[in-house]
Amino acid sequence: MYFKFTFCPIILLLWASLSFAQNVNVVIHGAASIAKTDDNFVCVTLDWWPAEKCDYNQCPWGKAGILNLDLRYGVLINAIKAFNSLRIKVGGSLQDNVVYKVGEVSSCPNFMKREDGLFGFSQGCLSMERWDQLNRFFNHTGVKLTFGLNALLGRNESQTEKGLWIGDWQPQNTRDFMQYTMSKGYKVDSYEFGNQLFGSGMGAKVDAKQYGKDVIVLKNLVKELYAHPETQPKVLGPGGFYEEKWFNTFLEVSGQGIVDGLTHHIYNLGPGDDPNMMNKILDPSYLNQVSQTYKGVSDVVNKFRPQLGAWVSESGGALNGGSKDVSRTFADGFWYLDQMGMASTYDQKVFCRQALIGGNYGLLNATTFVPNPDYHGALLWQRLMGSTVLAVKKESDPNLRVYAHCAKKKPGVSLIFINLSKDISFNITFSNAKHGDAGKPNYEFVGKQNREEYHLRALTGDTKDDIVCLNDVPMVQTDSEDIPAMDPKLVDASTPISIAAQSIDYVTIRDFEAPACV
């Protein structure tokens, strides 16, 4: 279905005018960066789930899984191309149940419902014909690929401890898969070893010492096959919920220089059927709780110093496919974009959203492929927020969240404002702490060049709306299947920035002097 609105309904203007306004001064510390992200910080996943995957009496995956996704849709192609090099991670819960039909593997079964199988499914298979199709698609759309490998190959489930898989990882099927990939000239930026295989486990678990030994085997395999360091894919792991003891043990066993990037998952909103989901998303104290996880992972990174630092390699907000009432709506952006902002301040290099398409938490609708509201927020982040992260300080209502980076396209700085409040708007002015010296005063900043502003609102003012407006223009599908233009509103720099209640706003200031951004 195609929608053609010219402007958002007038109710938005009335709703905004009823909110109470607070004046807030934001101090930007531009003397030095506090963190650095990867140039491909924005990342999305493609998952293996078949149509039969169901949670909470619904089956929202349809044909969105890796083996079933129709790669010919124009809107899907255009949605990826719009990012101009989007990182995609292929993986998910069933990746440790996937064999690759190459070498000695002759049969290629489909995933089938199986009560005693991993996550309730039998073993599945990636044929090289499908791998060829996927790589043609990735090449055409400019994808930077991270591929999640099966880390259970050759292991058996323990007879004495439920869920524990024992034995050494057997790399032959992976070797054959990599050799085929290389023979075709397919580019893989990085391989992630296994999915959620530690601690209490999700569907399966592997001992930390065993995982550490096996990741050495994988690293040596990659070094052997990819002789040139410039084209050698990185090795990532362990890809699951952070547990300090397990992380430390596996890294002590593997040693430095084996795992290039330390990956972990974030689902801080809990189960997707939680009736309290909206309250969590709009509660700043609740959103702040996950900072302890980021700090813990950062501490491990500082101790073992993997080359690529820490990655959030999967984050869907709500578990088990997301929330059918929230994840596809404007409200989800309060969680999603706040988490990207917070993760970047903790030096997390990559943030992968579960998923590009599929479940309730896809950036694209699983049936129509039309972008959900979070897609537009992620696209603006990719275009506006550079890799250099700056410190910001403010004294105001905690419902106002602010993150600052050097602008993606120099010069200047770009900020994202997230207003969780239902009835308070904010008028923003700036100070510049460009010297980075606590003994020197901050300078009131008044720009001379027009600001570039991108104001995101829910179409009707209801945050559970699934259509977002950018600068009062609805972001809706067109007959051409192109992604709508996302142009800034140019605003007189001498005026405060107006942040409406329950809105998400990006702002780029071209003439802000930040030495870290030169």
Side-chain angles (χ1 to χ4, degrees):
M1 179 180 294
Y2 299 116
F3 301 91
K4 293 183 179 178
F5 296 106
T6 305
F7 296 103
C8 291
I10 194 68
I11 188 174
L12 272 181
L13 302 177
L14 296 173
W15 167 66
S17 67
L18 293 174
S19 62
F20 173 74
Q22 285 186 12
N23 297 324
V24 176
N25 184 256
V26 172
V27 181
I28 302 175
H29 293 256
S33 65
I34 59 170
K36 289 273 191 179
T37 68
D38 188 85
D39 288 338
N40 291 94
F41 175 75
V42 177
C43 166
V44 295
T45 69
L46 286 175
D47 208 299
W48 294 99
W49 289 122
E52 294 78 15
K53 166 63 175 172
C54 305
D55 292 290
Y56 315 126
N57 299 313
Q58 52 169 325
C59 307
W61 281 90
K63 297 295 184 180
I66 293 164
L67 299 179
N68 302 314
L69 181 62
D70 189 335
L71 305 174
R72 299 169 297 176
Y73 276 88
V75 65
L76 174 63
I77 292 169
N78 292 337
I80 296 174
K81 280 186 171 182
F83 281 86
N84 190 26
S85 181
L86 176 63
R87 181 184 296 278
I88 289 182
K89 191 199 83 168
V90 171
S93 298
L94 292 180
Q95 78 181 52
D96 295 301
N97 219 18
V98 176
V99 296
Y100 318 116
K101 189 185 178 185
V102 62
E104 297 179 357
V105 175
S106 56
S107 63
C108 200
N110 292 321
F111 289 115
M112 303 289 290
K113 293 285 285 184
R114 178 176 161 180
E115 216 170 284
D116 62 344
L118 189 64
F119 293 99
F121 285 91
S122 67
Q123 190 176 74
C125 171
L126 174 63
S127 71
M128 293 304 96
E129 290 80 10
R130 182 58 174 175
W131 186 229
D132 293 339
Q133 293 171 5
L134 287 164
N135 277 278
R136 285 194 292 269
F137 176 76
F138 294 150
N139 183 62
H140 177 58
T141 54
V143 165
K144 193 164 191 175
L145 180 63
T146 295
F147 187 87
L149 293 169
N150 182 344
L152 292 184
L153 287 168
R155 307 187 204 273
N156 295 298
E157 189 169 5
S158 169
Q159 299 298 309
T160 58
E161 184 175 346
K162 183 175 175 58
L164 177 66
W165 287 63
I166 57 177
D168 295 332
W169 178 66
Q170 298 300 316
Q172 186 60 51
N173 190 220
T174 300
R175 172 187 288 274
D176 294 338
F177 173 67
M178 287 184 178
Q179 287 177 324
Y180 180 88
T181 299
M182 292 177 63
S183 72
K184 292 288 188 174
Y186 299 150
K187 296 179 180 179
V188 178
D189 174 75
S190 42
Y191 288 108
E192 187 177 36
F193 189 53
N195 184 81
Q196 297 179 350
L197 292 177
F198 49 87
S200 57
M202 292 291 286
K205 59 184 177 181
V206 174
D207 177 76
K209 292 181 180 179
Q210 180 67 57
Y211 184 94
K213 290 190 295 184
D214 293 329
V215 82
I216 294 173
V217 175
L218 173 59
K219 183 68 171 184
N220 289 335
L221 176 62
V222 170
K223 284 183 175 179
E224 174 194 340
L225 297 180
Y226 294 86
H228 301 290
E230 308 84 38
T231 58
Q232 192 177 100
K234 308 299 189 296
V235 172
L236 311 173
F241 298 111
Y242 171 66
E243 294 183 13
E244 182 181 2
K245 183 179 179 181
W246 199 98
F247 270 55
N248 276 281
T249 299
F250 111 74
L251 287 168
E252 286 165 358
V253 171
S254 64
Q256 293 191 6
I258 300 298
V259 176
D260 298 296
L262 191 69
T263 56
H264 66 109
H265 296 176
I266 296 286
Y267 281 89
N268 57 314
L269 296 180
D273 63 346
D274 186 348
N276 199 38
M277 187 71 63
M278 278 296 297
N279 291 333
K280 288 181 176 179
I281 285 176
L282 295 173
D283 182 353
S285 61
Y286 185 88
L287 294 177
N288 287 341
Q289 290 176 16
V290 74
S291 65
Q292 295 305 309
T293 296
Y294 291 129
K295 184 180 183 305
V297 173
S298 294
D299 289 344
V300 174
V301 167
N302 290 334
K303 180 178 179 180
F304 292 96
R305 302 193 178 282
Q307 175 191 353
L308 302 181
W311 291 24
V312 179
S313 64
E314 186 179 313
S315 185
L319 286 160
N320 301 324
S323 167
K324 67 181 180 65
D325 297 321
V326 177
S327 295
R328 292 178 286 187
T329 71
F330 179 79
D332 196 64
F334 296 133
W335 158 79
Y336 175 42
L337 296 170
D338 182 67
Q339 284 305 294
M340 289 212 293
M342 188 185 300
S344 67
T345 65
Y346 280 91
D347 213 28
Q348 310 287 295
K349 305 302 184 184
V350 172
F351 193 98
C352 295
R353 166 65 178 255
Q354 170 81 342
L356 172 63
I357 187 166
N360 292 308
Y361 41 33
L363 292 186
L364 307 179
N365 184 287
T367 303
T368 66
F369 294 78
V370 171
N372 288 320
D374 280 353
Y375 171 88
H376 301 286
L379 183 55
L380 284 174
W381 184 291
Q382 172 85 349
R383 292 178 175 179
L384 303 176
M385 307 292 276
S387 59
T388 301
V389 187
L390 304 175
V392 291
K393 289 187 178 180
K394 63 177 179 62
E395 292 182 6
S396 70
D397 190 313
N399 285 298
L400 178 65
R401 323 280 281 184
V402 186
Y403 302 99
H405 290 219
C406 294
K408 187 74 168 275
K409 294 181 180 179
K410 293 182 179 180
V413 299
S414 291
L415 302 99
I416 180 171
F417 297 88
I418 302 166
N419 187 354
L420 305 176
S421 176
K422 296 178 180 179
D423 51 19
I424 299 176
S425 61
F426 297 94
N427 295 320
I428 308 296
T429 56
F430 293 101
S431 292
N432 189 346
K434 63 182 179 181
H435 297 295
D437 187 339
K440 293 185 178 181
N442 299 327
Y443 295 89
E444 180 183 0
F445 172 77
V446 179
K448 296 180 180 179
Q449 296 183 29
N450 286 340
R451 291 190 305 266
E452 300 163 20
E453 299 186 0
Y454 304 78
H455 300 282
L456 298 172
R457 317 275 192 273
L459 175 66
T460 63
D462 182 352
T463 58
K464 285 194 175 182
D465 206 315
D466 62 0
I467 297 178
V468 61
C469 292
L470 171 63
N471 295 334
D472 298 329
V473 177
M475 295 289 99
V476 293
Q477 188 61 47
T478 64
D479 292 333
S480 66
E481 297 187 327
D482 290 330
I483 300 303
M486 303 184 75
D487 299 321
K489 179 181 180 181
L490 300 180
V491 181
D492 183 347
S494 66
T495 62
I497 299 172
S498 179
I499 307 297
Q502 292 195 326
S503 70
I504 297 167
D505 307 78
Y506 286 92
V507 177
T508 296
I509 307 171
R510 293 296 175 192
D511 55 347
F512 192 95
E513 294 182 20
C517 300
V518 175

